[in-house]
Structures are given as structure tokens and as C-alpha cells.
Amino acid sequence: MFGHDIRCCDARMGISLQQRRLEEASIGYLESAARLSEASGEDASEAHHATAHAGKSPLALLCLTAIGVVYGDIGTSPLYAIRECFFGPHGVPVSQVNVLGVLSLIVWALIIVVTLKYHVYVLRADNHGEGGILALMSLVRKDHDRSARGAVMVAFGLFGAALLYGDGVLTPAISVLSAIEGLEVATPFFSPFVVPITVVILIGLFLFQRRGTAGVGVIFGPVILIWFATLAVLGVINIAHAPGVLAAVNPAYAITFLHQNGAMGYLVLGAVFLVATGGEALYADLGHFGELPIQIDWFAIVGPSLLLNYFGQGALLLHDPEMAHNPFYRMAPSWALYPLVVLAAMATIIASQAVISGVFSLTRQAVQLGFAPRVEIIHTSSREIGQIYIPGANWGLMVGTIGLVIAFQNSSNLAAAYGVAVTTTMIITTLLAYVVSRRLWKWSLPVAVLVTVGFLIGDLAFFGANIVKVAQGGWFPLLIGIVGFVLFTTWQKGRALLAAELDKTALPLSTFVEDLQRHNVTRVPGTAVFLNSSAENTPIALLHNLKLNRMLHERNFVLTLVTEEVPYVPAAHRLSIEPLAVGFCRLVARYGFKEDPDVPALLALAREQGQPIDPANVTYILSNNSLIPGRGPALARWRRRLFVFLSRNALRPSLFFRLPLNRVIELGMQITV
């Protein structure tokens, strides 16, 4: 089965499923930047930076676009974060000391984790402009390709990426449900309808994914901008009633809170962490917008708006402790409650859209880097390269998300499951960033260790406070992460076993061509293209074709696709051509992990470079081997069976590589792995 062998999924490559680079919620404002990227063939970051510097208007548009995609997740945290600190399973009593202490913890979580760690430190760790844990893992993997340290980095990256699938299921569930719960604040009449309304909205959200966001994406930025303006206004109004709440910027209140509340105060960190859950998301969107627009949005709009709203909720609780049940909606006057519910619902839908699109992006990266089987990838926009739709991932997310809403019933229960996966991913990001600081930035050991340990203290503190949630629902995202990790590593190791098995009987292509020069073989008119995982070996399909049909085409091209550990490969480096003897030619095509291979387009490129190829009259001959699970110490038998199952259910290579189906021949044999 050729597609499992192809170098486009080269087993040497490092991965990352992060993803969480949620680039795929692209919107209309990105058209100019996307066209720059497509025209140049260079990485997306360069295109965005070029756009940003072209004038004030493009930068402003990128900032407006980024605020709708990057900050939807963290921007909806005010709906439930403060509430969980006082009304959640580990909530503390509402008192002046506790309110100021919790607010101080929130302020410094936003400063240390979101601002210093992600906006100042981690955003610098870009892989040719791309961000996210998969891109980061691929970046550090380059330095340790085959070493034991490299294997550890791959394991870290895979597990962190797998955990993001859990986040992709939880975020739409808790965000939309918490928004609709505002109806309960308006009147108890809506209480029985909160879950059904949430389920209907989620079904509509996932059904809409097939159409893409090109048509409605233009409103994402303005809606989220209005959302943050609303957060700020509500905060200012309530702060005016208790301005003393601003004293919480003093970290002494946080220290006093932890000292006085002991273990209970520490566990509140699990709820405090909800204010920082969007950190990985903004890093994942780095390549789509560039560092500058993301930072401008945070320092000028998002950060101040969030702080004002959290302070406003704290001021409300100081004024009326009974409001702890849902302080966000209680901040608004009664006449504004229904419009606020509608706006919150729109904001959470947009935030969910970004997370879902990020899962699509993560899945594509995993496939391209060779850690997941081929899946159907549909491009929903002819202009914007970031807009893709993956049916399998979409329906899986929909079932998981709706199942969570029905099972947990309210956002407080869901909050108990939220945070475990994200804190684990953040720890992995910190460790990988340390390698970048040492190997690529050339930081001294003391400086790198000091910075890493400083961030790890915060990461581990939040992790410890969240890990106690496992029994309350935190097991769910961990289970998804473990299952995803097993699937990723099984596919990776299974492909390595398959490649080793094929290498045992592989015939060097140069030897095969030399042998042809000494024998007369019947030739038929036309061109044959053989896709092969190795540029050095003779394709099995070629040998089978010669054995069964006793003939060769006049012109034969052996094509190997390689995925590089960079997001985009420049057009000038896309294709290398090496003519061989007796009508044979070796083609090696290189793609980045953010690009989709297109074999007919490659042949058209080869024709432009002088090769006698008519893409409309080419016969594609592929290997379609039947795999049988064997035995051996390298991989447990149940994992071999799993690999065979995944192989049989992977998208056919003819579809994945966009081959004309009426010109494809598949040949193969049984192989024991």
C-alpha cells in the first residue's frame, strides 16, 4: 500500500498534532495575505509580515482578523472563570480577602503565563513563521533527528498534540453552554431548555463546517471586538461601585490568600487557570497572522478588557456576595441581559469555530508528518489556503462535544474537566522552548534554566491544582490524549516496521536501470509514473508490472514525495529532477507540513522544466499492498493489528494525491508487519 510508505509521511520526521496551530479559522480579511503566500511559495509568516508592513490598513485588518480567531477562546473565559473560583467544587467563601486574593491570582496568571510566557517568550519560537506544539516539536527535532533525545521530543510533541483534541471537544461544549446559561439568569423558565438549545447550536455549528467560513468569516473580528468592548464597559461600570478592588494588582493579596486558605486555596488555582486556557491557541495561530498583530491585540485590547471585566466581577461580589452563582451576567442591567446572551452566544460560537478549525489543521499536520493515516481533506476556499474541512475529525468532535453537554448538563461540571489537558500541553511547550533557547537562540545554560524553571513553577502549580479534577471529569481529556498518543505512535512505528520489511528485498533503482540496459524489454507508448516512498529503491509496483505484464512504458518517472520539517517549501525548491538511462527519470518533490501534495501539479511543473510529460495522458501505477499482522518484540501484536486496521481504512492514495481515477493502476502483494 503505497500511501503508507510514502516519504511525504517520512518516519524520520518529528511531529506535533498542535496544535494546536489553530490557523484554519481563516476569514475574509486574510485574502491579501493568503494571496501573497500563494504567489511567493514562501512561508505564511513572511506573507503576513509583508502585508503588515505594506501600510497601516493591512496591519489594521490583520489585527481585526486576529482578534476574531486568536482570542475567542481566552476571551470567553469571563463567562465561567470567576464563578468557578467561588461557586465551583473547590470554591472558597466570598469575602473581601478571598475576592482580592483570587483577583490577584488572576492578574498575575495573565501577566506571567499569557503575557510573559506566550506573548514575549514562546511566540519567538517559530518554525519558519509557524507556531503551535507540532511546529515547535518539528523545530527542535531537526537538531536531534535520530538521537534518544529526539525520540523523547517526538513523544512529548505527540502527547501534547493528542491532548489538544480533548481541548477541541471541551471548548465548544463549555463555551456555548455557559453562554446559554445566561437565560437562566433572566428567568427560571428557560432552565429546562438550556441543554437542548446548546445541543441545537452545536449541531448547527458542526453542520456548517462543510461550507467553510469564507462567507461569514468577515464578521468574526467585529463581533469579537464588540465582545471585548462589552467586557470592558461592564467591568468599568461595576468597578465604579467598588474601586478598592483594583488593589488586587498587588501580589501580596495572592500570597495572603494562599497562606490563609491552605490546601483549599491551592485547589482554587484549578479555577484560576481557566483565565489562561487560550495561551496555546494564540501560539498556534502565529503563522497565520504574525507576531505583531497578535501582540498589538493583546496589549491594546484583549488584555485590558479581560482585566477590567475580572475586576468588575470582583467588585460586584464585594458589593453583593450572593451574585457568585453567575457574576458575569449579574454585572449587566436587566434590560441588557438578553442582548448580552445573544452576544455571548455569538462570541462562543466564533471561539468554537477557531478551535474546530485548529483541530483540522492539527490533523493535516499529523498526516503530512507521518503520524496519522491519510484522511479526506477538503478545501473550502479557493482563495484562502488555511480553510480546510476534515469530515472524520468534524463528526468525531461533534459526537464528543454533544455527548459532553448531555452528560455534564452544566458548565460548572464541565469546568471540572477543563484544564487538565491544557496544563499538560503547556508544560510540554515550556520544555520544548527550553531546547529552542539553548540550541537555536544560543542562550547560556544559566539563563535558559532560570527562565524555564520560572515558567515551570507556574505550569506545575496549575497542573497540580487541575490534576485533582481527574475523578470529576478530568479523565475525559486525558483519555482522549492517551488514545490519540497510542494511535500516533502506533502509526509511526508501524510505518517504520513496514519500511524495514520492504527494505529487506528492495532493489536499488540504479541497479534496476543498469540491468535494463542489458536486456530487451517490450516498450509501449506513453508515460508511467510510479509513486514510491524511497527515491533510491525500485518501486514494488514497477517490478510487479514488469513481472505480470512483461512490458514497460517508453517513459517512466519514479516520484518520491518528502515532507520537510518546515511549514512551507519555496516553489524554487519544490521539485528536483534526475534523468536516468533507458527512459527513466527520478523526481523528488518536497512539501512543508502545512501543504497538500498534488501529483498532477508536480508533473505540470516537471513539464515546464523540460520533461516530456503530458499530465492528461499519464498512467499512474501504485503499490496497494495487503498487510498482515505478525509477531515480534518491536511492536505488540495488538498494536500491529491496530496499524493494519488503520492502514485498511486510510484514504486511498489515488484520492489523497489527487490522481485522475481513470488513469490509476494498483498492484501489490501481501506483507507481514
Side-chain angles (χ1 to χ4, degrees):
M1 180 179 288
F2 153 71
H4 307 304
D5 316 345
I6 193 156
R7 279 284 195 254
C8 131
C9 301
D10 193 340
R12 295 175 302 174
M13 295 294 182
I15 174 193
S16 346
L17 165 282
Q18 182 211 78
Q19 69 43 157
R20 206 176 194 250
R21 179 197 167 167
L22 306 172
E23 58 120 34
E24 300 338 305
S26 331
I27 39 189
Y29 292 119
L30 280 177
E31 180 178 350
S32 59
R35 285 177 174 173
L36 280 174
S37 177
E38 292 175 315
S40 66
E42 302 294 337
D43 65 71
S45 177
E46 294 173 355
H48 292 308
H49 283 298
T51 306
H53 291 293
K56 294 181 179 179
S57 179
L59 178 58
L61 290 178
L62 278 177
C63 288
L64 184 61
T65 301
I67 203 171
V69 176
V70 176
Y71 292 109
D73 188 355
I74 198 171
T76 53
S77 295
L79 286 167
Y80 46 80
I82 289 283
R83 181 195 66 201
E84 293 307 309
C85 292
F86 296 100
F87 203 75
H90 301 294
V92 294
V94 179
S95 66
Q96 182 175 7
V97 172
N98 287 344
V99 169
L100 293 178
V102 166
L103 285 176
S104 186
L105 288 171
I106 288 175
V107 169
W108 288 98
L110 290 174
I111 291 174
I112 295 174
V113 176
V114 181
T115 304
L116 294 180
K117 178 181 173 180
Y118 280 97
H119 284 92
V120 177
Y121 177 61
V122 174
L123 280 185
R124 295 185 58 211
D126 67 290
N127 185 348
H128 292 261
E130 289 292 320
I133 193 167
L134 289 182
L136 180 60
M137 194 222 64
S138 294
L139 181 66
V140 300
R141 167 80 162 161
K142 296 175 187 177
D143 251 4
H144 310 281
D145 187 30
R146 291 285 186 178
S147 66
R149 183 179 297 181
V152 171
M153 292 174 187
V154 169
F156 275 162
L158 286 175
F159 188 55
L163 287 170
L164 293 178
Y165 281 102
D167 187 36
V169 173
L170 275 167
T171 296
I174 190 174
S175 298
V176 177
L177 184 56
S178 61
I180 303 304
E181 283 173 345
L183 295 173
E184 291 181 304
V185 177
T187 170
F189 170 80
F190 285 107
S191 294
F193 304 104
V194 168
V195 170
I197 292 173
T198 301
V199 170
V200 169
I201 290 175
L202 290 172
I203 290 175
L205 173 65
F206 285 102
L207 289 177
F208 188 77
Q209 296 304 310
R210 177 63 178 83
R211 301 181 59 185
T213 59
V216 298
V218 69
I219 70 171
F220 285 3
V223 168
I224 296 297
L225 188 60
I226 294 173
W227 170 252
F228 281 116
T230 303
L231 293 182
V233 170
L234 290 175
V236 169
I237 292 174
N238 284 270
I239 291 171
H241 297 300
V245 76
L246 296 175
V249 297
N250 186 345
Y253 286 100
I255 297 172
T256 301
F257 171 82
L258 293 174
H259 176 71
Q260 291 186 355
N261 288 278
M264 183 59 69
Y266 175 72
L267 293 179
V268 170
L269 286 177
V272 170
F273 179 74
L274 295 174
V275 307
T277 52
E280 280 293 323
L282 68 91
Y283 176 45
D285 276 313
L286 174 63
H288 212 68
F289 303 101
E291 186 176 353
L292 185 58
I294 292 175
Q295 291 178 331
I296 290 175
D297 282 342
W298 175 254
F299 288 103
I301 300 173
V302 178
S305 298
L306 290 175
L307 285 174
L308 287 172
N309 193 265
Y310 289 129
F311 278 124
Q313 292 189 48
L316 176 67
L317 294 181
L318 289 179
H319 179 71
D320 186 356
E322 298 300 320
M323 298 294 184
H325 176 67
N326 202 322
F328 176 79
Y329 282 111
R330 299 293 184 185
M331 296 173 72
S334 57
W335 61 266
L337 193 53
Y338 287 109
L340 184 59
V341 171
V342 173
L343 179 61
M346 294 177 67
T348 55
I349 289 172
I350 292 172
S352 301
Q353 172 66 51
V355 172
I356 294 167
S357 297
V359 170
F360 295 163
S361 176
L362 179 63
T363 302
R364 177 172 68 173
Q365 291 183 37
V367 171
Q368 297 294 71
L369 288 168
F371 293 95
R374 296 179 309 273
V375 295
E376 184 180 8
I377 300 175
I378 300 172
H379 289 261
T380 60
S381 173
S382 60
R383 299 191 310 266
E384 298 169 20
I385 58 176
Q387 289 196 7
I388 60 173
Y389 167 70
I390 300 180
N394 187 65
W395 303 131
L397 286 178
M398 185 180 78
V399 171
T401 299
I402 294 175
L404 280 178
V405 171
I406 295 174
F408 285 82
Q409 291 292 303
N410 61 67
S411 59
S412 288
N413 292 336
L414 279 171
Y418 206 31
V420 177
V422 181
T423 52
T424 306
T425 304
M426 284 186 170
I427 291 173
I428 294 172
T429 297
T430 301
L431 295 174
L432 294 179
Y434 164 78
V435 180
V436 173
S437 69
R438 290 281 292 142
R439 298 287 180 175
L440 300 181
W441 300 342
K442 306 300 180 183
W443 284 12
S444 66
L445 180 61
V447 172
V449 169
L450 181 64
V451 171
T452 302
V453 170
F455 288 130
L456 274 180
I457 290 174
D459 291 342
L460 292 173
F462 284 124
F463 175 80
N466 276 284
I467 201 65
V468 300
K469 299 179 180 180
V470 169
Q472 300 168 321
W475 58 269
F476 182 78
L478 287 178
L479 177 63
I480 292 179
I482 292 171
V483 170
F485 180 76
V486 169
L487 291 176
F488 287 156
T489 54
T490 298
W491 184 256
Q492 176 200 19
K493 293 179 180 179
R495 288 183 57 259
L497 287 177
L498 177 60
E501 191 66 28
L502 293 174
D503 284 343
K504 292 179 181 178
T505 56
L507 176 66
L509 182 59
S510 57
T511 302
F512 175 79
V513 171
E514 291 175 2
D515 190 56
L516 279 180
Q517 293 176 313
R518 297 190 295 269
H519 297 83
N520 290 324
V521 178
T522 302
R523 298 284 185 137
V524 297
T527 301
V529 173
F530 299 88
L531 279 71
N532 198 36
S533 61
S534 171
E536 304 300 324
N537 294 332
T538 307
I540 293 177
L542 192 160
L543 297 175
H544 281 189
N545 181 58
L546 182 59
K547 176 182 177 180
L548 297 175
N549 298 319
R550 300 183 183 281
M551 64 83 179
L552 290 174
H553 288 76
E554 287 181 338
R555 293 177 298 278
N556 298 272
F557 293 86
V558 177
L559 173 61
T560 299
L561 291 89
V562 178
T563 297
E564 302 288 356
E565 294 190 0
V566 295
Y568 300 93
V569 172
H573 300 153
R574 174 76 68 213
L575 183 65
S576 62
I577 302 174
E578 181 186 355
L580 304 174
V582 293
F584 274 79
C585 186
R586 177 161 34 211
L587 306 178
V588 178
R590 289 176 167 79
Y591 285 91
F593 56 74
K594 293 295 296 181
E595 299 176 293
D596 297 322
D598 187 335
V599 171
L602 286 173
L603 298 184
L605 180 59
R607 183 180 184 182
E608 292 175 4
Q609 298 182 22
Q611 295 301 314
I613 300 176
D614 181 1
N617 294 298
V618 169
T619 300
Y620 300 90
I621 304 179
L622 313 181
S623 295
N624 188 1
N625 300 312
S626 177
L627 304 184
I628 301 174
R631 297 180 182 274
L635 201 61
R637 186 167 176 79
W638 69 268
R639 295 186 71 183
R640 293 173 187 262
R641 291 182 179 275
L642 176 60
F643 173 69
V644 171
F645 173 80
L646 294 174
S647 299
R648 291 173 178 170
N649 288 276
L651 187 69
R652 298 182 68 85
S654 54
L655 296 175
F656 186 77
F657 297 108
R658 307 181 187 182
L659 306 181
L661 300 183
N662 61 343
R663 306 197 66 82
V664 175
I665 298 174
E666 295 186 358
L667 302 170
M669 63 182 183
Q670 285 190 343
I671 301 177
T672 301
V673 293

